Amino acid sequence: MNKRIVIIGAGNVAYSLAKAILNTNNFSLCQIYSRTIESARSIGVRTGVAYTDNILEVYPDSDIYIYAVSDTALQNIIPSIHIREDALLLHTSGGISLDIFSKMPNSHGVIYPLQTFTKGRELDFKEIPLLLEWSDKKSCDILKKLAAELSDVNIEVDSYRRKLVHLSAVFVCNFTNHLYDLSSRFLEDNDMDFDILRPLIRETADKIMSMKPEYAQTGPAKRGDDIVISAHKKLMKKRENMMEIYDVMTESIFKLYKKEDINIEVEEENTYSISNPTLW
Amino acid sequence: MNKRIVIIGAGNVAYSLAKAILNTNNFSLCQIYSRTIESARSIGVRTGVAYTDNILEVYPDSDIYIYAVSDTALQNIIPSIHIREDALLLHTSGGISLDIFSKMPNSHGVIYPLQTFTKGRELDFKEIPLLLEWSDKKSCDILKKLAAELSDVNIEVDSYRRKLVHLSAVFVCNFTNHLYDLSSRFLEDNDMDFDILRPLIRETADKIMSMKPEYAQTGPAKRGDDIVISAHKKLMKKRENMMEIYDVMTESIFKLYKKEDINIEVEEENTYSISNPTLW
């Protein structure tokens, strides 16, 4: 079989997906549509695929349409493109239900790549978890074949659980980056370079590749070390937003570990060897 | 020259440091002391170095003593070990001032390895930033030589700025791990596996190895996307601690980016191509 695909959207997800589709055997990418000609051209030129910014020029006879646009754009763009009724419609959003397609007569599904896509960074699409959902047997069959060619990690997840994953992703990606960002600005304002934190940031992430995060937790909040905590607070006097985050995170960690890991805490108190002198 | 070193403490920092010292040319590790014989033996056996849990048996004639113990233990242990007056005293803590040694007649200094050390994970000590501070020319000379043999990244930092770095480390390591931890528990409680977040976590950290965190920031909070934010809040109704962290982080990100990056925001609003359909 050879299924033709049109991608609607020309952002970072669209581009990564386009490149990955070009590497499949049974699917071909035939067109990219974007609302602006610059974005359409940018991704069209980089992938060697036809592109357009004219919604009337979107090929009406493709087999699959993948909507890789922002959540706000998705609702409006679905009914505005005229396509044949037996085409499969897919979107790539973590936060939007499958039934956004329910007014369309087409089979439909979701293919949500769980990753942060950044211009200029080439990722191995095979390693990106794809969260899949479908409306019927037809969309199930095609979507599973497509996903299997795109990635080694395919997971069937309903709309509700996909939203839970999406929320978790905000915590581990957006919020984590904000912690990096605050620290970077804090060091910069004190004439120090963010570079010195990079090995620590990498190891903090690397560590939980093979470890449950609860076993990797360390630091004054976990130990309930009031002396260190109040010393830290003095350093943030003029940093209201850091202070607020510090308080909420510290309290959350403290509460969590007060209830559990009693053995580890006791061991830390009794020996020099278990507690970590660097405080985290 | 060959300088003999005794390490006081047998935790993860002590062990990593011990292994690194064994790889130097001009320094030799002659003894490890820990308050408990189990910890002392554990590190002594793994490094092939003499060990003791008897404070009276600590060699009194070593050239350098490195105190790699917890912050709370540090104050008490310094005066309790009898050593010659011309020995150099060093501690490894991020949060403790150099002048904790001020009542001792000895030259002294700080060698703070900016990393998270975990049992069972072998790190390349050469890549760990060492933050150095010293009391006089003698300690400066010896400390610089030692640090240069231990690591490729040596930075002179006074006690105040070292504490700022230490606070930043709590943000990017302890707090980041707590975000991982909350997400892991959240997914687990909904019968999903934390594994699916691991590629995203790794990429979030990898991205800022070559990028300023402020340019890597994405997500609904940055865009001020109220629809997505209120959808997220519904999912956390029974998760008070997640909700609190979500609110504080979201507000902090929103405030920060409202003031800046006006151009990027406008661009995101006008095209599908810049905004990221996956929402971060």
Side-chain angles (χ1 to χ4, degrees):
Chain A
M1 74 173 190
N2 179 36
K3 298 276 183 196
R4 287 162 308 154
I5 300 178
V6 169
I7 291 181
I8 312 295
N12 296 323
V13 172
Y15 173 64
S16 298
L17 202 52
K19 294 249 302 173
I21 291 168
L22 293 175
N23 286 327
T24 62
N25 295 317
N26 294 302
F27 299 87
S28 59
L29 184 61
C30 57
Q31 192 187 36
I32 288 147
Y33 163 80
S34 170
R35 194 159 49 169
T36 63
I37 192 66
E38 294 78 19
S39 330
R41 186 188 299 121
S42 159
I43 186 169
V45 165
R46 282 184 288 163
T47 54
V49 171
Y51 58 90
T52 181
D53 67 337
N54 184 346
I55 208 158
L56 301 173
E57 285 178 3
V58 172
Y59 298 161
D61 59 347
S62 180
D63 301 301
I64 302 171
Y65 295 80
I66 303 180
Y67 298 82
V69 300
S70 72
D71 285 14
T72 25
L74 193 57
Q75 190 138 10
N76 297 323
I77 202 154
I78 292 170
S80 69
I81 299 179
H82 295 283
I83 47 185
R84 61 184 206 195
E85 289 199 0
D86 62 346
L88 172 63
L89 311 184
L90 303 173
H91 78 68
T92 59
S93 165
I96 301 286
S97 290
L98 176 67
D99 64 16
I100 195 167
F101 290 118
S102 62
K103 286 182 184 161
M104 303 290 286
N106 306 60
S107 281
H108 48 270
V110 179
I111 180 166
Y112 167 50
L114 182 53
Q115 188 48 283
T116 172
F117 296 93
T118 314
K119 205 171 174 175
R121 287 186 65 81
E122 299 280 332
L123 300 174
D124 183 355
F125 212 91
K126 282 272 172 196
E127 293 175 2
I128 299 174
L130 299 179
L131 277 59
L132 309 178
E133 193 180 2
W134 49 78
S135 63
D136 55 21
K137 189 172 180 320
K138 182 190 161 189
S139 47
C140 170
D141 289 346
I142 302 176
L143 183 54
K144 277 189 172 176
K145 271 178 197 145
L146 174 63
E149 284 209 52
L150 292 173
S151 169
D152 295 332
V153 192
N154 300 303
I155 306 156
E156 185 185 337
V157 174
D158 62 31
S159 289
Y160 176 70
R161 292 205 300 168
R162 178 158 35 78
K163 287 176 191 176
L164 299 181
V165 173
H166 182 246
L167 174 60
S168 305
V170 166
F171 274 75
V172 302
C173 176
N174 296 164
F175 292 171
T176 290
N177 190 75
H178 187 53
L179 296 174
Y180 302 159
D181 194 6
L182 289 175
S183 303
S184 166
R185 292 165 195 262
F186 182 62
L187 291 184
E188 205 168 88
D189 292 348
N190 288 285
D191 301 316
M192 280 180 289
D193 203 313
F194 180 63
D195 273 349
I196 58 170
L197 290 180
R198 288 196 162 108
L200 175 63
I201 286 170
R202 167 158 277 163
E203 170 64 8
T204 302
D206 279 356
K207 210 155 78 160
I208 57 99
M209 292 301 127
S210 56
M211 205 178 202
K212 269 189 100 164
E214 59 178 291
Y215 302 126
Q217 190 65 50
T218 51
K222 183 184 171 189
R223 295 192 306 272
D225 188 335
D226 290 334
I227 295 170
V228 173
I229 291 168
S230 52
H232 280 161
K233 287 191 172 198
K234 278 187 193 160
L235 301 173
M236 287 181 289
K237 265 188 184 161
K238 290 175 185 169
R239 297 269 176 170
E240 248 180 69
N241 61 336
M242 280 182 79
M243 184 80 97
E244 257 187 282
I245 289 170
Y246 188 91
D247 282 342
V248 168
M249 295 294 278
T250 296
E251 203 191 321
S252 177
I253 296 169
F254 180 67
K255 274 187 193 162
L256 196 59
Y257 287 90
K258 207 170 54 174
K259 296 177 208 152
E260 26 179 275
D261 288 340
I262 301 301
N263 290 332
I264 291 175
E265 284 303 310
V266 170
E267 229 178 327
E268 279 197 343
E269 292 303 315
N270 286 344
T271 68
Y272 301 136
S273 62
I274 304 295
S275 81
N276 183 333
T278 61
L279 290 189
W280 68 78
Chain B
M1 74 173 188
N2 179 35
K3 297 274 183 197
R4 287 162 307 154
I5 299 179
V6 169
I7 292 181
I8 311 296
N12 296 322
V13 172
Y15 173 64
S16 298
L17 202 54
K19 294 248 304 173
I21 290 168
L22 293 174
N23 286 326
T24 62
N25 294 316
N26 294 303
F27 298 88
S28 59
L29 185 60
C30 57
Q31 191 188 36
I32 289 149
Y33 163 80
S34 170
R35 194 159 48 167
T36 63
I37 193 66
E38 295 78 17
S39 328
R41 185 188 300 121
S42 160
I43 185 168
V45 166
R46 282 184 288 162
T47 55
V49 170
Y51 58 89
T52 180
D53 68 335
N54 183 347
I55 209 157
L56 301 173
E57 284 178 3
V58 173
Y59 298 161
D61 58 347
S62 180
D63 301 301
I64 302 171
Y65 294 80
I66 303 181
Y67 298 82
V69 299
S70 72
D71 285 16
T72 24
L74 193 55
Q75 192 138 8
N76 297 324
I77 201 152
I78 291 171
S80 69
I81 300 179
H82 293 282
I83 48 186
R84 62 184 205 194
E85 289 200 1
D86 62 346
L88 172 63
L89 311 184
L90 302 173
H91 78 67
T92 59
S93 164
I96 301 286
S97 292
L98 176 67
D99 63 17
I100 195 166
F101 290 118
S102 61
K103 286 183 184 158
M104 303 291 284
N106 305 61
S107 283
H108 48 271
V110 179
I111 180 165
Y112 167 49
L114 182 53
Q115 187 50 280
T116 172
F117 296 92
T118 314
K119 203 171 177 175
R121 287 187 63 82
E122 298 280 332
L123 300 174
D124 183 356
F125 212 91
K126 282 274 173 194
E127 291 176 4
I128 299 174
L130 299 179
L131 277 58
L132 309 178
E133 193 180 1
W134 49 76
S135 62
D136 55 22
K137 189 169 179 322
K138 182 190 163 191
S139 48
C140 170
D141 289 347
I142 301 176
L143 183 53
K144 278 188 172 176
K145 271 179 197 147
L146 173 62
E149 284 209 56
L150 292 173
S151 170
D152 295 333
V153 192
N154 299 303
I155 306 156
E156 184 186 338
V157 174
D158 62 30
S159 289
Y160 176 69
R161 294 206 299 167
R162 178 159 36 78
K163 287 177 191 176
L164 299 181
V165 172
H166 181 248
L167 173 60
S168 304
V170 166
F171 273 75
V172 302
C173 177
N174 296 165
F175 292 172
T176 290
N177 190 74
H178 186 54
L179 296 174
Y180 302 158
D181 194 6
L182 289 176
S183 303
S184 167
R185 292 165 193 262
F186 183 61
L187 291 183
E188 205 168 90
D189 291 349
N190 288 284
D191 303 316
M192 281 180 289
D193 201 313
F194 180 64
D195 274 349
I196 60 170
L197 290 180
R198 288 196 161 109
L200 175 63
I201 286 170
R202 169 160 273 164
E203 171 63 9
T204 302
D206 279 357
K207 210 154 75 159
I208 57 99
M209 291 301 128
S210 56
M211 206 177 201
K212 269 188 97 162
E214 60 178 289
Y215 301 126
Q217 190 64 50
T218 51
K222 183 185 170 187
R223 295 192 307 273
D225 189 334
D226 292 335
I227 294 168
V228 174
I229 291 168
S230 50
H232 280 162
K233 287 191 172 195
K234 276 186 194 160
L235 301 172
M236 288 180 289
K237 266 188 183 159
K238 290 176 186 167
R239 296 270 177 169
E240 248 181 69
N241 60 337
M242 279 183 81
M243 184 81 96
E244 258 188 280
I245 289 171
Y246 188 91
D247 283 340
V248 168
M249 295 294 276
T250 295
E251 203 191 321
S252 176
I253 296 169
F254 180 69
K255 275 188 193 161
L256 196 60
Y257 287 90
K258 209 171 55 176
K259 296 178 208 149
E260 26 180 273
D261 290 340
I262 302 301
N263 289 332
I264 292 174
E265 285 301 311
V266 169
E267 229 178 326
E268 280 197 341
E269 292 303 313
N270 286 343
T271 69
Y272 301 136
S273 61
I274 305 295
S275 81
N276 183 332
T278 61
L279 289 188
W280 66 79

